[in-house]
Amino acid sequence: MTSSLPCYVQEIKQLFLFEKLAPEQLDRLCQDGRVELAQPGILYTEGQPATCFYVLLDGTVVMYRKVGQDDVEVNRTSQQGVYAGAMQAYLGDRTPQIYNNTLRVTEPTRFFVLPADTFATIMQEWFPMAVHLLEGIFFGVKNTQQAIGQRERLLALGSLSAGLTHELNNPAAAAARAVAALRERVAAMRHDLAALAAGKFTTATLAALIEAQKQTANMVGKAPQLSPLETADREDTLTDWLDGHGIEHSWQIAPTLVQAGLDDAWLDHIAARVDQPALPTAIRWLSQTVENELLMNEIAESTARISHLVDGAKQYAQLDRAPYRPVDVHELLDSTLMMLSRKIGPHIAVDKIYDTTLPAVPAYAAELNQVWTNLIDNAIAAMSNATDTATLTIRTARVQDQLLVEIRDTGAGIDAKIRDRIFDPFFTTKPVGEGTGLGLDIAWRIVVNKHHGNLSVESAPGDTRFQVLLPLAARTPNLEESR
């Protein structure tokens, strides 16, 4: 609650902001501005439209900033002349005109108050050069930050694209090899089919052989898992059987039959139905059937892997998805890990400790993926020089009414001297050219400003943990998001 009081030029002149002004300028301040007495309580709230510029005459003020769900005190003072409020009014509609903090008074306090539009007009009329310089600094820093942020996103995208291309190339190459081999096997089967058509088999034998082929194809998909020792023993047994029946290239045929789960009893079953002169052709034909089935399985697995990678990339990019919606953070984390799998490499073990009972959390999914990318990428970099196997741990849990995502690495840790600065824009410990210092700043803005959560770090040598807390319930969007 406020009340108006008289404005005296002599009092205004004593403020360090106005001490160099001419008498006519001081007169205009008192004419266009006013003195107000504010009672203890909130003077204005962060995020509200910035309508006034306040200068403290006497009393005590406390300034707060919103951090996640909490109002954190950032300053408390009784110094005459300190100012707050619509300090960027001179920028006009080129930037959102909202209060960027909350101001509270703890005792009856007097302010000199200028309406925001009056403050903007006075600044532009009286200090045109200063306004141009301030505008240049404000928008220059903002544009630089946006440009570097975009560049960092493009570099991250390039790195992820390279990793995805590498991951896609493996199953694609495997499928291509399998198709080439399948083409050769089909050609061989056509040759053997010609031998069958030449009349070496009776009608009854041919029918039995076709039925055996169907049974063989079905057995390929049901082959039991054998240990290396069991596999070697069975291959030796089948090789001896094939050699004993005069079948050439037994050492090539036996491993194929074993891979399909076939044994010497099955070969005895085939031999009982086929005349001895035709047995080598029959066994070779059935072996080629097995090879064809195995190659088709390989092609199916390769294409399924490609489809899985594409689905993972789509999940990571959140294409065709509503920007703000309930999401399963485990799906987002898994898609990010898949996109970074090539970067993680074999020297880093990934330990996922997921609480699968957690509900979906309302979030901007694509932007959360950017947070996971930045945090995991930093963890990988921190463990890049590890001599032993390093461990990346991703843990989720519920903390009261919030969802916790913890990303832990076993790197060297963050020096306590710089720990308070790691979320500052442009601050980086990476060598020149390897980091812009915006990754953690971007992550902070996404988590804290856009999702009303919290991002913190705990670090010791061999144990660094970044902890992200996200509200489980949807909240009203923060006006800070429009910045």
Side-chain angles (χ1 to χ4, degrees), residues 77-406:
T77 183
S78 299
Q79 181 182 350
Q80 186 184 51
V82 296
Y83 51 90
M87 295 183 294
Q88 297 174 350
Y90 59 90
L91 296 174
D93 57 7
R94 288 174 292 175
T95 188
Q97 294 297 330
I98 57 176
Y99 291 119
N100 59 13
N101 54 62
T102 296
L103 198 67
R104 182 171 67 89
V105 299
T106 60
E107 60 180 327
T109 301
R110 289 192 311 130
F111 294 94
F112 173 70
V113 183
L114 275 176
D117 54 353
T118 302
F119 174 63
T121 301
I122 288 175
M123 285 288 293
Q124 292 163 0
E125 289 181 3
W126 292 356
F127 314 107
M129 182 176 178
V131 167
H132 286 307
L133 290 173
L134 291 172
E135 288 177 347
I137 293 172
F138 179 84
F139 290 110
V141 171
K142 185 176 181 180
N143 292 337
T144 299
Q145 187 170 346
Q146 289 176 346
I148 294 179
Q150 184 178 14
R151 175 66 174 170
E152 181 166 276
R153 292 184 180 95
L154 288 174
L155 290 173
L157 179 61
S159 177
L160 293 174
S161 298
L164 180 60
T165 301
H166 177 80
E167 293 295 327
L168 287 171
N169 182 66
N170 289 336
R177 288 192 301 269
V179 168
L182 183 61
R183 185 176 287 111
E184 293 178 2
R185 301 301 183 275
V186 171
M189 288 192 74
R190 286 198 296 266
H191 179 270
D192 290 334
L193 186 60
L196 295 176
K200 295 182 180 180
F201 296 91
T202 64
T203 302
T205 299
L206 187 58
L209 191 57
I210 292 174
E211 181 62 27
Q213 184 189 40
K214 293 180 181 178
Q215 294 174 359
T216 301
N218 290 333
M219 292 176 68
V220 171
K222 303 175 183 178
Q225 292 291 331
L226 301 177
S227 68
L229 183 60
E230 291 172 330
T231 300
D233 289 343
R234 185 170 292 190
E235 287 179 0
D236 290 341
T237 300
L238 293 191
T239 299
D240 293 341
W241 190 99
L242 295 170
D243 288 338
H245 289 76
I247 298 173
E248 297 179 351
H249 306 295
S250 60
W251 58 275
Q252 290 179 326
I253 296 175
T256 301
L257 300 180
V258 171
Q259 194 173 356
L262 307 179
D263 54 18
D264 54 345
W266 177 83
L267 290 175
D268 289 336
H269 173 72
I270 300 299
R273 296 189 174 198
V274 179
D275 295 335
Q276 179 60 33
L279 183 60
T281 301
I283 294 297
R284 187 168 59 249
W285 191 51
L286 293 176
S287 174
Q288 289 164 351
T289 298
V290 170
E291 289 180 340
N292 290 346
E293 289 295 323
L294 293 173
L295 287 170
M296 286 188 286
N297 287 345
E298 184 177 347
I299 293 171
E301 291 173 2
S302 297
T303 53
R305 174 61 177 165
I306 292 173
S307 178
H308 174 70
L309 288 169
V310 172
D311 287 343
K314 186 176 180 180
Q315 169 72 22
Y316 178 83
Q318 293 295 305
L319 299 176
D320 304 325
R321 307 288 181 92
Y324 186 78
R325 61 184 180 86
V327 297
D328 183 347
V329 294
H330 302 120
E331 292 181 359
L332 303 184
L333 289 165
D334 286 341
S335 67
T336 303
L337 287 170
M338 187 206 71
M339 295 294 289
L340 292 171
S341 59
R342 182 168 176 261
K343 207 167 188 178
I344 292 173
H347 70 288
I348 297 178
V350 178
D351 186 14
K352 296 189 290 187
I353 308 174
Y354 289 171
D355 181 354
T356 56
T357 65
L358 289 171
V361 59
Y364 296 90
E367 298 198 27
L368 279 187
N369 277 340
Q370 190 176 358
V371 173
W372 313 142
T373 299
N374 289 336
L375 296 181
I376 293 174
D377 186 64
N378 282 350
I380 295 170
M383 297 184 289
S384 60
N385 296 323
T387 55
D388 299 326
T389 301
T391 302
L392 171 67
T393 303
I394 313 293
R395 183 173 71 92
T396 63
R398 182 168 187 153
V399 179
Q400 297 178 351
D401 59 345
Q402 294 180 306
L403 182 148
L404 168 69
V405 177
E406 182 180 80

Side-chain angles (χ1 to χ4, degrees), residues 424-467:
D424 293 348
F426 307 109
F427 179 79
T428 180
T429 58
K430 295 179 181 178
V432 176
E434 294 186 15
T436 60
L438 285 179
L440 291 178
D441 174 59
I442 291 171
W444 171 272
R445 290 175 180 273
I446 292 173
V447 172
V448 176
N449 293 343
K450 200 153 191 177
H451 289 85
H452 312 283
N454 190 39
L455 173 58
S456 61
V457 62
E458 299 176 0
S459 184
D463 186 7
T464 296
R465 308 182 185 207
F466 281 89
Q467 296 179 328

